[in-house]
Amino acid sequence: MKSTSDLKFKLVCLLIAAVLADCCPECGPIFAADSPAAEAIPFRIEAPYAWNRSDRYVPPDFQSFFPDDKEAGKQLDLMLEGKLKVTGIDQRLSLIRRGLRHCTKHRTTLLGQVGNQYIWNREQQDPRAIELMYHASVCDDGGVAHYAMYHGPTVVSQRSSNLVRMLMEQYPKLDAQMQQRIAWGMRTYGDKAQTRTLLLGLLEDHRQLVDLTVAGTLEIWKTVFETDPPELGRFDDVGLWMIAFHRTDVSVTHPRAAELLREMVLKPLRGQEELLLEYVTRVNEGRETAVVLLKGLKARRLLVDYLEKRNYTELDFNELFSARVLQKRRLQEFARFLPVDAPASRLPAYTRPSAGQVYAYQAAEFVAPDYQSFFADDVQAGQKLDELYENREKLVITDRELLELFRRGLRRSSSPNTMFGWISGALGWPRDPRLTEIFYQALDPKGPEDVRKAALYYGFGLGTDKTRNVLRALFHVYMAPPFDDTTNRNMRSRILWSVRDHEDDKYYLSTLFAEALREHAKLSDVALQQADSAYKQLTGEDPPNADEYSSRGVYLVIFGDESASTVPASKQSVSQRLGESPHLLAKKHLEEKGEVNVMVLVRGPAGLKWLIDNLQTEPKLPIYYAGLLTPELIEKANNLQEFKKYLPEEPPGKN
């Protein structure tokens, strides 16, 4: 008989095969081994390679490296569809080089395959593939650049001075995830001593580099080697650094909040006040938060050392300042310190929320989200919101104006889900209480399910602050229909995941499920099972009153009978093994090619535990499925139709 692991392995293999077939229906590998070719290959990738030449630095250049060849783009599409066979590494990499600009299918997936096939975790990394990814990593298309950088330069083992310099020049332009990957790659792949030498070489020539490159190199050094580079003092004037912090004992309503925070900045900089280039405050997550821009590494070190020793003080971020910062944080006051050719911020202008406003998610008593009342039914606002989204790269609006338009236009927008993703990124940092209120009101279980999912996904993920009202609203979302498998995975599992690292939130949420379980008679079998499961996941324990509903619901268990090759033999062996039990409701044996699987219905969680314990005693039998029998499950499987009579008739009014 197949073991459970064998079955899972085959399922995974089938899934991977389906994905690959979708991307490239042609059988065989995407990239075949190299083969000699007599004819000249146009735009063949040959040495000297920009990424590892030693005579001079050659930066990546997408425009020069990838030709503007529309016909090659069509050929590359055909290759990916399995309609054009291209043999040999040189031929394939050449076609990717020529056709990438105008390829219309799976460009990011294609680059990921190049990296996986020839670079990442390969003992012999192909320099031609590295060269292609080196130049693709600066593409204007963010997706292409991301996949090329992720699967290429960040995981090269035999680093060169050119490759390291390119990574450090790109570092300030990259998001935090990619910055972390660069550091991870340097810690994980290649000779660490060689990496140290290459980074040190950059620092020795720091006068020849722009400040951002040097500052990025210092950041990477600290992350990779967990210490400062030699002679750190020579970099005292390098870089612009942005630090945000707040005090937990100073609220936004304190009349001197901004002044108190500014005094904390000036103390360690006394006599060197010119190093403080800018000071502003923001309201973030309901807290008065100071943001400072400092000149030089020394000023950064002085302030951070001081703040880390202060009581009631927490750092929000401490990072290198670059043009990328203004694409994720609403800090337009800092834009004047960027080069004149730096890209303008695409975020709306910051306006300070009213300190006296109390929103539903903050209220002392629970105020349930109300989708219908909060979001206006305004056709014109919906059209305007869609137009604004289409022109989002040229946004000229304040955050207050955008939030109000969102509230009025969401219901009539052509794509509410897209709007949630956009506004979440468009407002960036700081987290505006008005935005949190929008996410909160969208959690209404009576509102559209897709809107609910989007609000949960973008508004209340892992690490976000959650008030008691937010947690109670999430509980109501968890307990609201539908109870289908997709909703369980996409919504219910995400709710529990969102409080994973916060013990107080986990505890409070568990008390709400415990409260619901105390009134289990009001719950349908499926809602009861969901509440029971949530409590166990949050606490690691059974609910206090689990025995009260231990016989509620009908559970299906499917397992393999390895002791039998025919149904009669299986019936005999399973009957001997399970015996007579009040937990048992029904059994069904299925035989195919000499292998027998058994379906057993048991009564309630107690019956489920009894059966699983039995199957896990020696000799163990592989369990393929164990879960509540539901109408959805019966509908999906023809061989479960006879079990339909065991489904309970739920009275109206139960969740």
Side-chain angles (χ1 to χ4, degrees), residues 1-107:
M1 281 294 293
K2 300 184 184 72
S3 68
T4 307
S5 59
D6 290 337
L7 183 64
K8 289 181 178 178
F9 177 76
K10 289 191 174 184
L11 288 172
V12 170
C13 289
L14 288 171
L15 179 60
I16 292 173
V19 172
L20 289 177
D22 183 61
C23 293
C24 182
E26 180 186 15
C27 294
I30 293 290
F31 299 105
D34 202 359
S35 59
E39 74 280 2
I41 300 174
F43 284 91
R44 183 174 187 162
I45 303 174
E46 299 178 295
Y49 304 113
W51 72 271
N52 70 352
R53 65 187 301 161
S54 57
D55 58 330
R56 61 188 175 89
Y57 175 60
V58 180
D61 189 339
F62 182 89
Q63 297 299 326
S64 297
F65 184 81
F66 294 94
D68 187 4
D69 189 334
K70 293 181 179 178
E71 186 59 35
K74 295 177 182 177
Q75 293 176 5
L76 189 53
D77 282 343
L78 291 174
M79 187 187 81
L80 293 174
E81 293 172 356
K83 299 176 181 177
L84 176 66
K85 192 168 185 178
V86 181
T87 59
I89 299 173
D90 271 330
Q91 288 89 338
R92 286 178 176 265
L93 292 180
S94 167
L95 180 56
I96 293 171
R97 178 182 183 180
R98 291 185 291 115
L100 186 66
R101 284 200 194 205
H102 294 285
C103 173
T104 62
K105 300 180 183 298
H106 313 295
R107 289 206 299 173

Side-chain angles (χ1 to χ4, degrees), residues 308-326:
E308 288 181 340
K309 296 173 184 175
R310 309 304 301 175
N311 293 329
Y312 309 110
T313 303
E314 296 179 356
L315 285 173
D316 290 89
F317 52 82
N318 170 17
E319 61 189 22
L320 178 64
F321 178 67
S322 67
R324 179 183 59 84
V325 167
L326 298 190

Side-chain angles (χ1 to χ4, degrees), residues 371-439:
Y371 177 84
Q372 292 292 335
S373 297
F374 184 81
F375 294 100
D377 188 8
D378 189 329
V379 175
Q380 289 185 333
Q383 293 172 346
K384 188 172 181 181
L385 183 62
D386 288 344
E387 292 171 3
L388 207 61
Y389 174 75
E390 290 299 322
N391 296 285
R392 58 192 179 279
E393 299 298 324
K394 305 172 183 178
L395 207 59
V396 181
I397 194 173
T398 67
D399 51 13
R400 179 182 288 116
E401 293 167 335
L402 177 58
L403 287 163
E404 179 58 19
L405 180 61
F406 191 92
R407 186 189 70 80
R408 290 190 295 108
L410 177 70
R411 285 173 63 177
R412 291 294 186 166
S413 168
S414 60
S415 180
N417 295 0
T418 300
M419 293 301 132
F420 272 105
W422 170 53
I423 198 170
S424 176
L427 290 203
W429 187 93
R431 174 65 173 260
D432 196 300
R434 296 164 294 194
L435 177 61
T436 302
E437 181 72 358
I438 283 175
F439 287 136

